[in-house]
Amino acid sequence: MLFVALLTASTNLSPVQILKKSIDVSTPSTMVSTTRQIVHTYTGKKREFLVKSYSKNGNDKMLFVYLKPARVKGDKFLFLKGGDIYAYFSKTGRVRRIASSAKKAKMHGSDFSYEDVQIMSELDKNFNPKLLHQEKYDDRTCYVLELKPKKGVSFSYEKLLAWIDTENFTTLRVDFYRKGKVIKRMVQKDFKKIKGVWVPLKMEMTSLKNNTKTETIVDEVEVNVDVPDRFFTLGYLKRGG
Amino acid sequence: MGFFGKFGEFVSKHYWLVFGIVVAVTVFLGIMSEKIRIDTTWLSMLPESEPSVIEYKKIVKHFDSASPIIIAIEGTNLNLMKKSAKELAEKFKSMPDIVRDVNYRFNVEFLRRHGFMLQKESVLKRFKKIASDFNLDGFFKNFNDFFESEYIEESDEPLAKQEKDAVRFLDTLNDVLVSFRDYLKGEKGDEVLRWAAEQFSGGDGYIVSRDKTLLIMFAYPKVPLMEAFKAIDSVFKVEKVLDEFRTKYPELDFGQTGVYAIQKDEMEAGTHDTIFNFITAFILVLLLFMVSFRMVSSPFLAMTSLMLGIIWAVGLTYIFYGRLNISTAMIGPVLIGLGVDYSIHFLSGYTQARYRGLGVGESIVDSFARVGRGILTGALTTAVAFMSFVLVKISIIRELGIVIGSGILLTFIATITTLPIFLIFIEKMKSRFKKREKRLSGSMEFEFLGRVGEFVMRKHIWVILAVVVVTAGAVLLIPKLYFTGDLKKIEAEGLKSLELMDKIQEKFDLSPDSASFIVYSLEELNDKTEKLNKKTSVGFVESVATYMPPVEKQKRRIPLIREIKRSILSSRPIGKFRSGDFVSELRRLEANIIELSDMAYMGGLDRIVKRCDEMAGLVNGEKKLRNIFDDLEELVKKSDSRKLDRMQKIFSSELKKRFLEMCDTSIITLDKLPDDVKRLSVSRDGKMFLVNVYASRIVWDKILDSDFIKDVKEIAPNSTGMPIMFYLVTKLSAEGGKQATLWAFITILLILIVDFRSLGYSVMAMLPLIVGSLWTLAFLVITDFQFTYMTAMVVPLIMGIGIDDGVHIIHRYRIEGRGSVPVVLRTTGKAIVLTSLTTMIAFGSFAFSRMVGYRQFGITIFAGIGFMLLLSVVFLPALMKLTVDGKK
């Protein structure tokens, strides 16, 4: 194991290649999962949700369906490439379009913004990576990449720092910077290889600005299975699921 | 004959001279002690040189608005509450010696004129659309559009602030809808519609809770808080005025809170505790004394001597400090507990001499010769242990050390000078009346201590093992000990001012506690205000910046305000009320509220959830109750068109008029600010600005880890105010406790080495202290008292008090020789048990205090001295057996 790690570490990969690999190893074409989402609110309270999610083409299209608790059961959020976001509220039966300008907003109450989720599968397209150094993180040797948005890419953060495992290229941690300060931190752990894709079974996003945290624990997950395109339509949002 | 023998001879021969000196000293120090005030407020614990104290004084000197008394008016009749607030303000204005300023409502005229200039650009952009139609259907349509775009917008402001703004917005919306309902039901007339329009454009300036049952206003006392006693007099005078208003308005309730009122309540509770604990300790110790000596008059005389010593100590404290503070206020019970020991020893010697047939004078000399040196050593040891606190950097701990240390020496002097005289007097009286003191029946001998000694000798290894096991358990618990920042857990129970504080917090969703600081330029003011506004922990920042945004921002707002004005002027004429459109917009609004509730629930914004659920009649997210929208739809359908038209005409015209008034585009500068704003936030010389920062949530439950204090201190290191000062008190106590423990340990070890001239015996005497301290720390964990600003001092205190036990046992053992442990315990044991019991009783009296902090303190010391006693009579002898006594 150590030998493999050393071998990989000594491989002269360019920052771009490291970034590309990190995306390739953990981005399935489709994914269906049931997750527990635990939101730690700024008042110190904890709120737990059970959410079924579907995604396709990386995170190009995503659908989140709330299963628990009862008060939000049936509420859905649809996220489409380009930033269109729609919400369906089961109690009012209304579908609301949330404008694309809302990409920075908190994704249905969590500490992830719509942009955070989308950007993770497109880091290589929108960012210039720079390898800062290697360091141990969570007992793993990691590449520490600095990612700055390419020219013309509008992004809410001035840069990201990503800790990528030198052995399996999973992304263990991402720090989000604004005005020179870390304002959010995402940590992924308990990776499981499913059909060749590394899936983190636990994820934490901490907002240092708001003193809130969202934990995501994957209970069930399938990757590269058939997910019909109709799942990602307004009609399905209102009727199906 | 040694020094004490000669001293005894002198006293018994020249008792009138000694009596004269005692009387003179007592009269002088008694007069001094009369003047002492008990300042048991936490503020009394801060040193004058503390930067926060200096900043506070600066604020008091330059501004009128430091630390107001918060007056709360409760009731169900809002108009009456407002009327009484206005009258109360007039009354306070007529009392310039007590209240230098009063504020019962915001300056609405200013807000009305510059309302839009004070709004953010993003809000102004939306107002443009809202202001395009004042007919209720159109207005609510625009309002719904505004609503639907509001909660998805990314904001630089923290969630707490966004939540607060949203809640305020929902409250205003609810006020307007309820006004429509009251009007359509015929319960209220046209004025309620004008009031509703006023709510939409900044309100009427009164500070009223959401449920309209609590109104608050601020009175700024003339006397600064630091002048504790005068400040408290102000509170009493304000209370007197409130009493008048309670009589005048029986349907309303008037209360006061804020730092002044809390100080007053704390002082009352502290004074009650100090006196009550003193009396309890006195009676209990006297009873123990009588029972153990089986006498009546002698113990009474001993307690009288002790009382004189305490009067001297209090008098001397007045000369040094002028007050008793929260920690030195315990002087009475502490000196009873410790000072009575000297009488116990002296009376033991005296009565034994008398039974041997010696006369009064001879018995006094004999007693002095036998016990004088021992009690002097005891007094010096404990006094020096306390006085070692002068080496602690925190002044409050130094004060405690000096007051208690000197008090111990004075009670010792009082005992050796007055008790012999009293005994001479009483014997003379008895011989005149031919009476003999009756011995009480019953016995309080301590024969069992000898048996304990024998048992320990046989099983010393087991005893040591048991102590080791218990100590290991204690050591495992100690890591769970922390310095609690939950000040609500140690305050006196049932303080009205604190209960009112909680109520204000609950009803206004804002902590009434604020931190304050001074800035010296408008640039600094704007910069710091902006930074603070971005902090989640900050609920509200009050300064002139609230009324005067930076000029660049104002300039950016001008074109938007002009657009709003154009929009208002070209808005759809107010015409007929369109019921169908209005109802459909009403239902859209209801859907928005329900959806907002879900979104807020997902994000943990509970205040928004609560408001939305109340408005939409949701129970656990399901619509179960009839809501305002149902009522309004039904009323609109039932009402005749003329009434509906009139409702629209009055509300919409008023709102349009007010919106137009708010369109002033002149730049707000300092000279344009109203006087009442300037008076509170700009220094008298116009060179400084005051910033008051309110916490978004209550800070008292975790003062040491308070994000609010950290955030405010980071942005304004010079900030002051009640939460910050209390944070400092707690932090200083934590540091002081550690330092005092260290110095007490070092001093006691040095005293022991000097006294025993043997490192081995010194270490042996220290071991019960160390083990007892560990047990006491574990006790703080088990009881969940934890460290507080009171219990932080228990370890050095019990070390100082408990050291005597080991010293007496080792001294006696060294005199008696090897194998003498049972004898030592049988003889010295009684005195140790009695002196420990008196001290335990004295501190045990604290268990009945109103201040929970005192209570925890007393119970812990009670347990700690108990541990020390147990260890001295069991563990120490076992150690001696294992080491010196077991040697061949």
Side-chain angles (χ1 to χ4, degrees), chain B residues 38-40 266-277 854:
Chain B
I38 300 167
D39 181 1
T40 53
E266 277 177 346
M267 193 93 96
E268 278 182 338
T271 307
H272 162 273
D273 287 349
T274 306
I275 296 167
F276 181 78
N277 295 342
Y854 270 174

Side-chain angles (χ1 to χ4, degrees), chain B residues 98-116:
Chain B
I98 309 298
V99 177
R100 62 175 158 189
D101 208 344
V102 61
N103 186 11
Y104 71 101
R105 62 186 292 215
F106 290 124
N107 190 306
V108 276
E109 288 71 30
F110 176 83
L111 292 177
R112 209 166 274 164
R113 191 171 157 209
H114 300 282
F116 285 132

